[in-house]
Every structure is written in C-alpha cells, then in structure tokens.
Amino acid sequence: MTEVATRALELGVPLSVHFDLTWRCNERCVHCYLDHDDKGEVTTAEVKEILDQLASAGTFFLILSGGEPTMRKDFFEIVEYARRLMFAVKVKTNGILLGEREAARLRELAIDSVQLSVYSHRSEVHDGITKVPGSLRRTINAVRFLREQRLKVIIAGVMMRQNLGDYKEMQRMAQELGVSFQLDPTITPKMDGDTSILELRIPNEALPQLFRDQSLVDDVDEFCATGEADTSALEALPCSAGHTACYISPYADVFPCVQFPLPTGNLRQERFLDVWRGSTQLNEVRGIRMSDLHTCTSCGNVASCTRCPGLAYMEGDMRGPSSADCDKSLARTGILSPRKKAALVQIAI
C-alpha cells in the first residue's frame, strides 16, 4: 500500500475520497461540526455521476459518511453502485439504523469495513454526548450484527472532557466484541467557523499522561521522540489532503479534506477532474512544503509534529501553526513551540 500511495502521489491520482452523502443525522452529538439541515443535498443520480467521475479519475478507496449516511433511503443503492465500480468502500455510521438485515446486505456487497462511533462504555455518558437515549445500546447491537456477518468493524471514539476517564474500559469492550478500537482527541471548529465546541477538548494537562500510555500509543519512546529536523523533513508534504485525497460534501462541494474547509470547486458546475487538476486553491495547497511554514520551521518539533493544515486554515492561515497540534507536540516531547513561547512572553509582559 505504501508503494501504491507513492505511485498515486507521483501521478496526481485522488486515491482516496471521503464523500458525505448527507449532513442530516439521527443523533445530535455535542462535539459535531456539521449543520444538520438539508439545504439541497445531492440526488441519487448526482451521486452516481460523481462516483463515475471518481472511478475514471483513479479513486480506489471510497469513504461514505455523514451526518448519518444510512438516513438516505437510497443508501444501499449507492453502496451497490459504488461496489459495481470496484471501489473499496468504507462506511462511517452510528449504527442506529443497522439491524440484522442491513448488516447482511453490507456483507453481500463485500464492503471493506464499517466504522461506528462510540464515546463511552457507559450509556449515561455516550447517550449524553449523542443526546439520544438508548443510542449506545443500539450502536453496540449493530456492532454485534456486523460481526456476525464477519465484517471488519472498527469502533472509533472522540476523546473529550465528558469521557476522558473511559478509554480503558472502551478498549476492553472493543476487545470483548472482537473489533478494532481507535481514539482521537481532536475536536474541530464547526464548518461555519463557530469555535464554541472547542471548549469540549480535553485539558492540555491531561495530554502527557495519555501520550505515555502504551495501550494508546504502543511505543512510547518513539511516539514522544522529536525526530531530526533535516532537509528531507522540511521538504515533506504536510499531509495527503489535496495530494492523493479529498472530501466531497452533500452539496457536491470539493475540499482538500473534511477538516480543511477550503472551497475548491463544485461538482454540480464542474467535472471532478477539472476541479482536481485545475483548481487554483488545490494547486496552492499542493505547493506548500514544511519549509514554507512560517513559525513552524523554527520549531524543534517540526519533524514529528502532527500539524493539520486544515485546522491551521480554520485558525486563519494554512501556512501557520495549528494550536491544537502545538499543544499535542508539547505534551509529547516537552519542547515549547514558537507559538507557545510567544504566548508565555505575552503573559509575562
């Protein structure tokens, strides 16, 4: 797969596309960054036309998500069409609408995997986050139905203040269910720029303990190492967004990534390859190297930082630092970033 990704980068192929079929959802998660009103989402015919264009462009990995994608009445029709085009399909869902019949249908369609959102092993915490009573029970039932069909299932959770102490029990629950478990401490601003939900992020003082927990990071020494800031590191790409991957909204808008809401084109007005190859914004993103980042190039964490250009963009500058990633780097390595140093100087003044 490394060889495939390298070749895709050389050829400019959009190897992986994340396609939100809807922003409507049957949950109201407190940390969600989406607007759940339907403002004219793509029709079945439009979805199929977009999938045809993606297949022609060389896309192989297709992530179907939302909102809650299973709320669309044509969801299985779309999945079936995607599989006929030979996409490796991954579905992201809360599972509330997946019963035994739906799980069996996904197995028949031979999808790659299903990722379900779980925020705690405790219903009072999970249901409190989703604002839907009984949602944990229904999601776990979906996990069992999918596992009975021998599908690859992943439980993914966002770590926030409400569930900070629950991850070990969540790991144990995933192990008992026989599924993979992923945890992410990243909470992003809303797509409209609202930053109020960032208050849900776990406190910075809790990060060092998490980043030194072997059950979460595997090799603690490697994870917390700073890396060598050599020439190759400075010439590296910030991430795959806009290079071998992109995001399509339910309104056919194309962005570099779901966490990088820089508008680059709309597939109701342009063909995908015209946007992918000709967008001024996408080409600007592709031209950025680590050495082009002001502030970050002088940071001792530059070679190992998980800096997200999308989060930096939402803070006002795609070439600038991402404050959340600065906090993570400090927690991992103990080295202050230039942004942190400047903030301390300002406080002292």
Side-chain angles (χ1 to χ4, degrees):
M1 289 314 305
T2 300
E3 186 177 342
V4 169
T6 300
R7 189 67 172 149
L9 181 62
E10 292 172 352
L11 297 173
V13 173
L15 185 63
S16 177
V17 171
H18 178 143
F19 192 172
D20 276 355
L21 298 176
T22 181
W23 282 352
R24 290 176 290 128
C25 192
N26 46 12
E27 294 182 334
R28 286 294 181 270
C29 297
V30 296
H31 62 288
C32 186
Y33 52 87
L34 298 175
D35 174 359
H36 295 303
D37 293 331
D38 180 2
K39 295 181 174 62
E41 63 194 26
V42 282
T43 64
T44 307
E46 287 175 320
V47 171
K48 290 180 178 180
E49 174 59 27
I50 290 171
L51 294 182
D52 286 337
Q53 293 180 35
L54 294 179
S56 297
T59 300
F60 180 64
F61 298 104
L62 179 67
I63 301 168
L64 298 179
S65 184
E68 176 47 49
T70 61
M71 287 188 69
R72 286 190 62 128
K73 294 180 180 180
D74 58 358
F75 171 72
F76 285 99
E77 181 181 351
I78 290 171
V79 175
E80 182 177 356
Y81 193 80
R83 289 296 296 126
R84 285 209 301 269
L85 292 172
M86 298 303 293
F87 289 110
V89 176
K90 177 178 182 177
V91 175
K92 290 187 175 183
T93 174
N94 57 40
I96 285 182
L97 298 179
L98 294 181
E100 293 181 81
R101 184 175 61 179
E102 290 76 17
R105 183 66 180 130
L106 290 175
R107 174 61 180 175
E108 290 172 4
L109 293 170
I111 65 168
D112 178 75
S113 61
V114 185
Q115 178 177 305
L116 298 101
S117 300
V118 179
Y119 304 109
S120 176
H121 64 293
R122 296 181 291 159
S123 58
E124 63 270 23
V125 175
H126 176 95
D127 295 0
I129 290 172
T130 65
K131 297 184 180 180
V132 177
S135 56
L136 176 62
R137 173 181 52 79
R138 294 172 69 179
T139 297
I140 296 303
N141 283 342
V143 171
R144 293 193 173 102
F145 294 143
L146 293 164
R147 285 295 295 137
E148 287 171 1
Q149 294 297 323
R150 298 186 179 180
L151 284 162
K152 179 182 177 182
V153 179
I154 304 155
I155 284 178
V158 176
M159 185 177 287
M160 60 191 91
R161 290 178 181 269
Q162 289 92 323
N163 62 1
L164 178 56
D166 290 358
Y167 71 89
K168 287 191 179 295
E169 287 300 323
M170 290 175 68
Q171 288 174 319
R172 187 173 294 111
M173 178 179 68
Q175 187 174 18
E176 291 173 354
L177 290 167
V179 302
S180 301
F181 176 68
Q182 298 175 355
L183 198 60
D184 188 353
T186 305
I187 292 180
T188 66
K190 292 187 177 183
M191 292 290 277
D192 62 6
D194 182 357
T195 60
S196 60
I197 58 176
L198 299 186
E199 296 177 359
L200 300 174
R201 285 176 174 171
I202 61 176
N204 288 341
E205 55 268 25
L207 288 172
Q209 180 180 350
L210 295 175
F211 290 167
R212 285 163 178 77
D213 187 327
Q214 190 173 359
S215 70
L216 291 175
V217 303
D218 194 17
D219 189 327
V220 175
D221 291 337
E222 180 180 347
F223 184 77
C224 294
T226 60
E228 295 296 329
D230 56 19
T231 304
S232 62
L234 293 176
E235 289 306 310
L237 302 176
C239 69
S240 63
H243 294 276
T244 58
C246 69
Y247 164 67
I248 301 173
S249 81
Y251 309 111
D253 295 309
V254 181
F255 302 94
C257 171
V258 68
Q259 291 185 173
F260 199 158
L262 170 68
T264 65
N266 184 278
L267 302 182
R268 282 173 163 158
Q269 298 152 7
E270 305 170 78
R271 293 188 64 79
F272 176 77
L273 271 180
D274 292 335
V275 175
W276 180 255
R277 293 173 178 169
S279 164
T280 301
Q281 296 85 354
L282 273 180
N283 285 322
E284 180 184 5
V285 169
R286 292 185 188 119
I288 299 174
R289 297 296 182 270
M290 296 299 287
S291 58
D292 299 322
L293 307 178
H294 51 75
T295 307
C296 297
T297 52
S298 60
C299 179
N301 295 309
V302 66
S304 62
C305 183
T306 57
R307 173 190 172 276
C308 172
L311 293 180
Y313 170 78
M314 283 190 272
E315 289 187 31
D317 186 358
M318 72 174 79
R319 290 178 174 82
S322 157
S323 59
D325 291 302
C326 290
D327 293 336
K328 292 176 189 175
S329 288
L330 174 60
R332 284 192 302 107
T333 68
I335 297 176
L336 285 171
S337 66
R339 186 189 69 85
K340 282 289 187 181
K341 290 178 182 177
L344 290 175
V345 170
Q346 189 64 36
I347 291 172
I349 294 174

